[in-house]
Structure formats: structure tokens, C-alpha cells
Amino acid sequence: MRRPDQQTTTRPTPDAAPGTTPDTPPAEAMGPGKRRTADAGGAARSPGPAGPRPAGDLTTEAVLAPYLRGQAAEFLRSLRLHHEHSAPADSGGHDAAAATRALRRSARRISGSLHTFRAALDPLWADQLRAELAWLSGILAREHAYANRLTRLVEALHQLSGPALPAARGVRAAGESATSDAQGRAALGVGAARAGALLERRLTLARTRSHSAALQALGSSRFHAVADAVALLASDVPLAPGTAGRTAEALLEPAERAEQRLLTAVAALPPDDTGPYNEAQDAAWHQARLLLRLHRYAHEVVLGAADPALTGAGHALDLHRDAVEAAGAAAAAARTPRIAPATAYALGVLHADQRHEVEAARTVFRETWPYAAALSTP
């Protein structure tokens, strides 16, 4: 990972926050045995509201504090927008959802940075705020997750029960006749509508409960304490004693540890030829997704921008998580007591389809992962 205190070219940028010096730091990402430039000009801009960092001799405080203050300001701005668009007289449900996503995004970045750079911060304060932001992010994510899961499953049912059910979905075994395939499509068509209705009832109920839980959380004293802590963070970052005068190079070590944890987790992922699908493997992939996110945030802090080479791999892991959770929802619905055999059959086909999507996402991840050597490590 490149030193953050190397000289860069200063230029104005429209997204710099008040009180910051806009410029453009270099951005190179460190990989196993190689380096690469973030863009054609060898420079990258910070996506955070704090704007690019000052050039020259940087200190830990000059790099970490502006990033955290910027994310805290984004959190407060998103919270204000959420309140505005969630008012009873306001009909902007889409705007409220966008504000909630932005609120979660800034909460995750603050929490991840507190985790990675804990040694540079007041540890007790960092641990407490990180735990509370994780609670808030989890509460806010559930409604969005249930809505997306329902959309995904209903669309998959429509595709599976269509006039040309693809054999690649794994529904027809090798050697089956066209007649038996047609019978399978007919049986699936009978149960698909009922399966869709069952999923809609279950997931809509879960989404409604999650929405109520989110509203209750946002009105609780616990949330107000979190918001107050973030508001203080927007103006004052509690650093560890002696941190203020240290060079920003001190941030490289924890950032590189975050990167190494990611590379180790990816290297430990089971290879493609491990035999039949095993759901116990999902946890390792979820852990890789979490570590990739922490690496991205550390990259933003130290180098000023996310690592563009990992965009495809991160998207694949998001799709993997979505498919895993959708498959679980289909399996849970199939366990509903006293459902018709045709409904259970449709849900079983849907579960198999989503497991196929899990495997497809893993393939995409391996194809887009920029460090092939890490994947081949025993």
C-alpha cells in the first residue's frame, strides 16, 4: 500500500466539506506481490464527504479524523433527510428509502473504520460506538433485505414456471425425456402461484415487522444516544494519547492487516471441485464479504478512495449473500405445515434454483478476483 504522505497535485473539487483542503492523493492498492494504479492519472478522489486529503507531510490525525468527521456529517445529513421524507404529510417513500440506505452506508463506514483503526482512537469510545452503529445498521437493513428477497424469489418463480424451463437450472436430470420435462413444468406451474402467494405473505409480514422495529429504534433513547455520539464525532474525533503527532504511515499497518485478513480468508475458500454443494460453506463466503468491506473502508481512509479492482468481486459476494438468503427463505416456506404437494414442489425447485445462483456467484467472484495467486493457495 502506497505511503499516504507522498506529494500530490492540489486541485479544487466540488464535494469537499467546509474546512477541508481539497486535493487529490495518489491511490495504489497493494496486492500479493504486486501494485497497481487506481486510475490512468495515478490519482483518485475520496468518495467521502470530507473530500480529498491534504498533500505533504500528513499525520494520523490529518488523515483519519477528517474521514470520520466526513462520514459523521453524512450520517447526520441522511438522518435529516430521513426525518423529512418520513413525515406523515410526505409521500416520498423512495426518498425515505434512499435516505435510509445512505444512513446505513455512513454507519457501516464509521463502524468499520473504528474497528480497523482502533489503536489510533480512544479504545473504549471506539468499541462502544462501533457496537451501537452495528446494532443500528442491522435494524435498518432488515426491511430492505426482506423487500429485495421477495422481489428476487417472485421473479425467479415466474422464470422457472415459464413456457421454456431451462434444463440448466438442474430441474431435469440427464436422460429425462421431453415428456417428463413437460410434466415437470406443468406441475411447477400449478404450484408456482401458490408458492408465490405464500412467500409474499411470509416476507411481507416480516418486512412490515422490520419496518415497525426500525421506526421504534429510530425513536428510542438508544438511537438518540447514538445520534448524539455521531454529532460529537462530526466535530471532535477522540484519538488515542500520542496519536495526534504520529505520521499517517502509522495507519498503513492496520490497513495492511485488514487486507491480509481478506487475502487469507479468500485463499481458504473451498475450491470449485469440492463435490456436491455444502451449505456449511456459506459462512466462509459471508466472512470473506465482511472482510472485503473492511478492506474497502480502510483503503478509503488511507488512500482516499475505494479500490476499483475489487468492485466486481464485491458485487459477486453481495449476489452470493442475496442468493443464500433467498434459498433459505424458500426452504423455510417449504416447511410450512399442511401446504399442498404442488406448492412444496415449486418451493423445492425455487430453492434449487437459488442454490444454483449461489454457485454462479462464486464462479463470478473467482473470475473477477484480481489476485489469482490467493485463490490457488492450499
Side-chain angles (χ1 to χ4, degrees):
M1 202 171 272
R2 188 168 176 173
R3 290 166 55 97
D5 57 346
Q6 292 178 328
Q7 293 294 326
T8 61
T9 302
T10 301
R11 64 185 179 192
T13 178
D15 58 355
T20 62
T21 304
D23 68 345
T24 305
E28 289 184 354
M30 188 184 83
K34 67 175 182 178
R35 296 174 183 268
R36 61 186 182 277
T37 306
D39 61 22
R45 291 175 54 188
S46 169
R53 298 187 304 272
D57 258 345
L58 297 178
T59 63
T60 294
E61 182 179 20
V63 173
L64 181 58
Y67 180 86
L68 289 174
R69 286 198 298 265
Q71 293 301 328
E74 180 63 25
F75 179 98
L76 298 173
R77 182 161 45 248
S78 302
L79 180 58
R80 184 182 68 250
L81 291 174
H82 184 276
H83 287 332
E84 291 174 356
H85 295 299
S86 300
D90 187 89
S91 58
H94 177 76
D95 293 332
T100 301
R101 287 194 297 272
L103 191 65
R104 288 171 45 218
R105 198 159 48 237
S106 55
R108 289 197 305 265
R109 278 170 166 76
I110 297 171
S111 178
S113 300
L114 297 181
H115 172 77
T116 301
F117 302 105
R118 180 179 182 273
L121 300 161
D122 179 323
L124 180 60
W125 167 84
D127 291 345
Q128 290 177 341
L129 182 55
R130 181 165 63 91
E132 292 303 283
L133 288 172
W135 161 75
L136 177 63
S137 182
I139 287 287
L140 296 179
R142 290 174 192 163
E143 180 184 359
H144 177 72
Y146 283 124
N148 282 358
R149 202 169 304 158
L150 176 59
T151 300
R152 181 187 184 93
L153 289 170
V154 170
E155 289 178 353
L157 271 177
H158 285 316
Q159 293 174 359
L160 290 167
S161 60
L165 186 65
R169 293 286 188 176
V171 177
R172 185 177 68 182
E176 278 190 331
S177 67
T179 301
S180 61
D181 186 52
Q183 290 173 343
R185 287 199 303 271
L188 179 59
V190 170
R194 293 179 180 177
L198 175 60
L199 287 168
E200 186 165 3
R201 286 196 303 273
R202 289 173 61 92
L203 293 176
T204 299
L205 176 60
R207 180 186 179 184
T208 300
R209 288 174 174 170
S210 297
H211 180 72
S212 299
L215 291 179
Q216 184 177 3
L218 291 173
S220 67
S221 58
R222 182 177 182 180
F223 170 75
H224 288 300
V226 175
D228 289 344
V230 174
L232 290 174
L233 176 62
S235 59
D236 178 38
V237 177
L239 297 171
T243 298
R246 298 176 67 189
T247 64
E249 199 166 89
L251 297 176
L252 287 176
E253 184 178 352
E256 288 173 351
R257 281 200 303 268
E259 182 178 60
Q260 190 56 51
R261 285 194 296 268
L262 167 64
L263 296 178
T264 301
V266 172
L269 291 173
D272 290 332
D273 56 354
T274 53
Y277 179 80
N278 183 358
E279 293 187 7
Q281 298 172 355
D282 290 342
W285 288 85
H286 293 329
Q287 179 69 5
R289 177 178 173 272
L290 171 62
L291 293 174
L292 176 56
R293 175 183 289 177
L294 291 175
H295 168 65
R296 284 175 48 216
Y297 299 160
H299 201 281
E300 288 181 5
V301 172
V302 175
L303 297 179
D307 186 350
L310 293 176
T311 300
H315 181 61
L317 290 179
D318 287 342
L319 292 178
H320 179 275
R321 184 270 318 270
D322 293 345
V324 167
E325 293 180 347
R335 293 192 291 269
T336 302
R338 297 183 298 279
I339 60 174
T343 306
Y345 173 74
L347 290 169
V349 172
L350 182 60
H351 175 266
D353 172 76
Q354 292 303 301
R355 297 313 316 186
H356 173 85
E357 294 298 323
V358 169
E359 294 176 345
R362 293 180 179 181
T363 299
V364 172
F365 172 80
R366 295 181 186 281
E367 292 172 349
T368 55
W369 179 249
Y371 309 132
L375 289 175
S376 61
T377 301

